[in-house]
Amino acid sequence: MKNNRVKKRDGFSSKFGVIAAAAGSAIGLGNIWRFPYVLGNNGGAAFLIIYLIAIVGIGIPVMLSEFSIGRMTQRNAFGAFKQLKPKSAWYLVGIMGILAAFLIMSFYSTVAGWTMEYLYQAITHQFQGQDTVSLDLHFKEFIASGTMPVIWQMIFILLTSLIVVMGIKNGIEKSTKILMPMLFVIIIILVIRSITLTGAGQGLRFLFTPDFSKITPMVILEAIGQAFFSLSIGMGVLITYGSYIQKDDNLIKSAVFISLSDTLIALLSGIAIFPAVFAFGIEPNSGPGLVFITLPNLFNQMPAGYIFSIFFFILLLIAALTSSISLLEVVVAFVTEQFHWKRKPVAFVLSFVFIITGLLSTLSLGSWSHIKVFGLNFFDLFDWTSANLLLPLGGLLIVIFTGWVLNRKALQKEILNGEEKRQWLFNVFMFSVKYISPVILFIMFLFGLGLFS
Ligand code: TRP
């Protein structure tokens, strides 16, 4: 067992490796595809404010909790709870996380498949000469068309498992160090093009001028859900990653760095999308297709748009991959560590299971669109319930565990690395995980459940 873990521990070659992996998990389709569409559905600036508050007030504390639990125990989410509280039901948090991984991967791989199709369309000059109406139509026809979306989805899932099998070492670290900054630069270029379009002002107002009357419990729920989704928290992914963080690394700094980068990319993507949305006369509440309809328009309107579109979709695909490997990794880590099975067969068998569950999401936008659960097709159901119910519930249990069950001294040692001078930070953290986060998450969870009855 010990050897086993030692072997795994050199999975990350440098100190930055695991932080890079966690940032790679956080930054993904959640920032560029989901954030703008959920913000658009929830009225814009008011949502943004709640989102930012949720990141700082709940998100960072949950992330720190997950990191601490992982580093303390050196285990996956399930094993960590088993070790800390052996004769209790806390391990169910780990099980829930595994369930969430299946739900998220199901629609995540659908959208990643769209990204691959759009990369292909970008390369083959297919956006050129299309206006908003035809881009919209083409998107809708494509996602409902069955075969290609399914094929892309399978390719994406197989790619994910291939990377997980080869080990996460070099791939993620490099992609985070080099490719994420490149993604950042391309988004900045998109931002510049977008805010200089005629009519851009309306989009910026939508994004930054809050109408506080738009803050409803639903908006709060969706903002918290998006914060959880975007930070990859609430299902123990970061417990697994935390187990790889070295003892002398500063957990607070790491959590703040990851959350800041993630939020910055989401914000920039909002600033790239919304001015264009309004300038091109697209409805801000168009749903999951929002970015896929808006961006090709924008590429059509910029110098060297062809090159930028290719770069953009390649980078988005890589960002999606570094996130999806974290989703597969939670399940792989669980199965390999708890049942002592080998990584390779586990990853491949799991990828077939993921393909089957993924089909539910993809086909629910086409030939299976008549199948509804709680009035939603599978895609929307998995998207909505994972972000707005499962992750916040996981987060709720994690903060209760951290605030009320974990040994306070041991926790303080993890978070402060034995340095006394940051005591106040620890106190702020404890206040959030003991009182603020549990209360808010509990209320929101009940509210979310109520929506189904
Ligand atoms: N955070 C990722 C994104 O924004 C999605 C994701 C990856 C995720 N792993 C996760 C979400 C674990 C929740 C939990 O694209």
Side-chain angles (χ1 to χ4, degrees):
M1 196 64 213
K2 188 140 200 257
N3 270 336
N4 214 342
R5 223 171 295 136
V6 169
K7 212 168 79 209
K8 263 182 40 214
R9 300 221 83 213
D10 62 21
F12 289 101
S13 52
S14 75
K15 253 178 113 96
F16 184 64
V18 59
I19 307 302
S25 167
I27 298 170
L29 296 171
N31 307 59
I32 290 158
W33 157 72
R34 200 175 189 279
F35 174 76
Y37 112 68
V38 176
L39 181 136
N41 277 352
N42 286 284
F47 172 92
L48 179 60
I49 292 178
I50 308 287
Y51 175 75
L52 294 175
I53 296 174
I55 292 273
V56 177
I58 305 178
I60 295 182
V62 173
M63 186 182 283
L64 268 174
S65 304
E66 291 198 22
F67 279 162
S68 307
I69 294 173
R71 191 166 73 172
M72 223 178 252
T73 56
Q74 303 287 304
R75 305 241 163 176
N76 69 74
F78 172 88
F81 286 105
K82 270 265 178 229
Q83 177 178 326
L84 288 168
K85 286 282 153 207
K87 289 196 189 71
S88 73
W90 280 104
Y91 68 88
L92 287 176
V93 180
I95 301 278
M96 245 178 55
I98 288 160
L99 178 69
F102 277 98
L103 291 192
I104 295 176
M105 191 61 170
S106 175
F107 65 90
Y108 205 83
S109 55
T110 305
V111 181
W114 301 348
T115 306
M116 296 171 97
E117 166 73 17
Y118 270 63
L119 172 60
Y120 168 74
Q121 292 193 9
I123 294 172
T124 52
H125 296 272
Q126 293 188 45
F127 304 141
Q128 278 148 31
Q130 291 199 58
D131 58 6
T132 305
V133 176
S134 75
L135 283 167
D136 182 46
L137 191 72
H138 274 116
F139 173 76
K140 288 183 178 135
E141 274 174 6
F142 167 69
I143 63 167
S145 66
T147 318
M148 271 328 278
V150 167
I151 291 177
W152 286 128
Q153 174 173 45
M154 289 181 181
I155 297 177
F156 179 79
I157 293 175
L158 291 176
L159 267 179
T160 304
S161 59
L162 210 68
I163 302 176
V164 168
V165 168
M166 290 190 314
I168 28 190
K169 187 172 169 176
N170 294 319
I172 306 191
E173 192 169 340
K174 271 202 200 93
S175 82
T176 314
K177 268 196 202 145
I178 305 166
L179 299 170
M180 293 303 118
M182 273 172 71
L183 180 64
F184 177 80
V185 171
I186 292 216
I187 299 177
I188 298 266
I189 294 168
L190 292 181
V191 163
I192 294 170
R193 174 65 277 214
S194 189
I195 58 177
T196 50
L197 290 166
T198 9
Q202 212 185 336
L204 290 174
R205 276 193 297 281
F206 180 77
L207 200 51
F208 293 118
T209 316
D211 170 358
F212 289 103
S213 69
K214 287 211 175 116
I215 299 181
T216 61
M218 187 61 168
V219 169
I220 300 176
L221 178 65
E222 298 234 8
I224 294 176
Q226 174 59 24
F228 270 69
F229 187 87
S230 195
L231 293 177
S232 299
I233 54 178
M235 53 174 274
V237 169
L238 299 185
I239 294 183
T240 307
Y241 281 20
S243 70
Y244 296 115
I245 301 180
Q246 291 173 14
K247 282 288 176 198
D248 56 348
D249 255 351
N250 184 322
L251 292 187
I252 300 181
K253 266 194 202 148
S254 308
V256 169
F257 168 78
I258 294 163
S259 309
L260 262 184
S261 334
D262 186 69
T263 307
L264 191 64
I265 300 265
L267 267 178
L268 286 173
S269 122
I271 305 174
I273 302 287
F274 283 99
V277 163
F278 284 89
F280 297 131
I282 299 166
E283 290 300 326
N285 59 353
S286 308
L290 184 70
V291 227
F292 289 93
I293 298 161
T294 309
L295 286 177
N297 256 317
L298 196 61
F299 292 126
N300 279 344
Q301 303 275 329
M302 60 196 275
Y306 175 70
I307 304 290
F308 283 126
S309 63
I310 294 174
F311 265 108
F312 175 81
F313 285 114
I314 290 178
L315 293 168
L316 183 57
L317 178 62
I318 293 168
L321 273 170
T322 56
S323 300
S324 63
I325 50 185
S326 76
L327 288 165
L328 179 58
E329 180 64 24
V330 221
V331 190
V332 169
F334 165 70
V335 178
T336 51
E337 282 173 33
Q338 299 302 325
F339 300 105
H340 305 286
W341 291 344
K342 287 216 175 65
R343 203 173 171 79
K344 219 186 228 166
V346 168
F348 276 113
V349 169
L350 278 175
S351 59
F352 281 104
V353 184
F354 275 128
I355 286 176
I356 307 289
T357 50
L359 283 179
L360 288 178
S361 288
T362 305
L363 294 178
S364 77
L365 300 170
S367 49
W368 292 0
S369 58
H370 57 284
I371 306 175
K372 299 261 155 94
V373 182
F374 302 115
L376 299 173
N377 61 36
F378 286 123
F379 182 98
D380 293 330
L381 180 76
F382 294 167
D383 183 1
W384 204 91
T385 46
S386 60
N388 301 329
L389 286 180
L390 276 180
L391 298 181
L393 176 62
L396 171 63
L397 296 172
I398 288 168
V399 287
I400 292 178
F401 186 82
T402 310
W404 297 92
V405 180
L406 261 189
N407 177 296
R408 192 182 164 115
K409 278 262 155 344
L411 181 63
Q412 176 165 349
K413 212 175 110 215
E414 286 303 332
I415 292 195
L416 297 182
N417 284 359
E419 284 175 52
E420 297 293 320
K421 64 175 195 282
R422 291 217 177 76
Q423 184 64 40
W424 68 273
L425 270 178
F426 180 70
N427 295 344
V428 173
F429 164 77
M430 280 312 277
F431 188 66
S432 174
V433 294
K434 265 186 118 122
Y435 307 106
I436 301 182
S437 301
V439 170
I440 294 177
L441 290 173
F442 184 66
I443 296 173
M444 291 329 292
F445 178 69
L446 289 187
F447 172 76
L449 274 187
L451 287 175
F452 285 117
S453 53

